[in-house]
Amino acid sequence: MEAIYSARMVSRMWRDIIDSTPSMWNVVSSDLSLHVNSTAIQRSGCSPLDVCVTEDAYGPQRSGLAELLELATREIGRWSTVTLWLANINVHSLHLTSPAPLLRDLTLISESRGSASTPITLFGGIAPKLEALEVDGLLVDWTSSFIHGLRKLTILNLAREQMSTQQVLDVL
């Protein structure tokens, strides 16, 4: 995204072209300021978004993290590739219960590793294009319909009692 901002400075024509090309603004990242992310979402129009939010980028203060997550989740219907690496992923507070019709690739990493006792239902079970799912430290509702259409599934740091052998076979 920094390269896009630099290219905008070449000339007025370049700036106008870049600003009016939605696909150049499809990244939302915790490595960028809230202002840049907000601008990117606005200029991306209806283009699918690639979202990467990690708490590491915010350091111990985590200032702005809640605002960025709120900004990103308002556009959940446009998510294409998403990585959320957070200390504790609360599906309901992040509004990950809304459908994600364009989502293709999802990585959810919770630093609270395997502490969840109740399975979470992601996107109300509606993510018809999801092909790759990586969950680390989260207990997912394995009965969701989109689970069966996956091409790649990675499950890490899940206690044995949190997923039965039958659930594994059902996913396959």
Side-chain angles (χ1 to χ4, degrees), residues 11-40:
S11 71
R12 181 174 289 174
M13 183 177 78
W14 277 44
R15 185 190 67 214
D16 292 344
I17 290 169
I18 290 169
D19 288 355
S20 64
T21 307
S23 60
M24 296 186 86
W25 298 94
N26 68 341
V27 174
V28 174
S29 172
S30 54
D31 291 334
L32 304 169
S33 72
L34 190 60
H35 172 72
V36 171
N37 282 308
S38 181
T39 300

Side-chain angles (χ1 to χ4, degrees), residues 13-172:
M13 183 177 78
W14 277 44
R15 185 190 67 214
D16 292 344
I17 290 169
I18 290 169
D19 288 355
S20 64
T21 307
S23 60
M24 296 186 86
W25 298 94
N26 68 341
V27 174
V28 174
S29 172
S30 54
D31 291 334
L32 304 169
S33 72
L34 190 60
H35 172 72
V36 171
N37 282 308
S38 181
T39 300
I41 287 174
Q42 181 183 13
R43 291 184 179 156
S44 65
C46 295
S47 295
L49 295 172
D50 295 328
V51 178
C52 181
V53 177
T54 63
E55 270 184 302
D56 294 1
Y58 282 89
Q61 299 136 340
R62 290 175 178 54
S63 63
L65 179 64
E67 292 87 352
L68 176 58
L69 288 167
E70 183 180 327
L71 180 71
T73 55
R74 277 188 253 152
E75 305 296 330
I76 203 165
R78 296 174 47 207
W79 285 5
S80 176
T81 302
V82 176
T83 298
L84 298 177
W85 188 331
L86 306 169
N88 185 9
I89 296 179
N90 182 327
V91 174
H92 295 288
S93 69
L94 291 177
H95 308 290
L96 299 182
T97 55
S98 300
L102 302 179
L103 186 62
R104 293 180 298 105
D105 191 321
L106 176 64
T107 301
L108 294 174
I109 302 170
S110 174
E111 291 295 326
S112 57
R113 307 254 190 249
S115 63
S117 59
T118 305
I120 57 175
T121 301
L122 297 167
F123 314 114
I126 302 171
K129 294 186 177 185
L130 189 65
E131 295 179 350
L133 174 63
E134 177 179 340
V135 291
D136 186 343
L138 291 169
L139 182 58
V140 174
D141 177 3
W142 301 110
T143 62
S144 294
S145 60
F146 67 81
I147 296 289
H148 301 289
L150 296 174
R151 291 181 176 212
K152 180 182 177 188
L153 175 62
T154 306
I155 304 168
L156 302 167
N157 295 307
L158 198 61
R160 178 175 282 154
E161 64 275 0
Q162 291 179 315
M163 187 173 186
S164 70
T165 304
Q166 187 59 51
Q167 286 173 313
V168 172
L169 294 173
D170 289 344
V171 169
L172 300 175

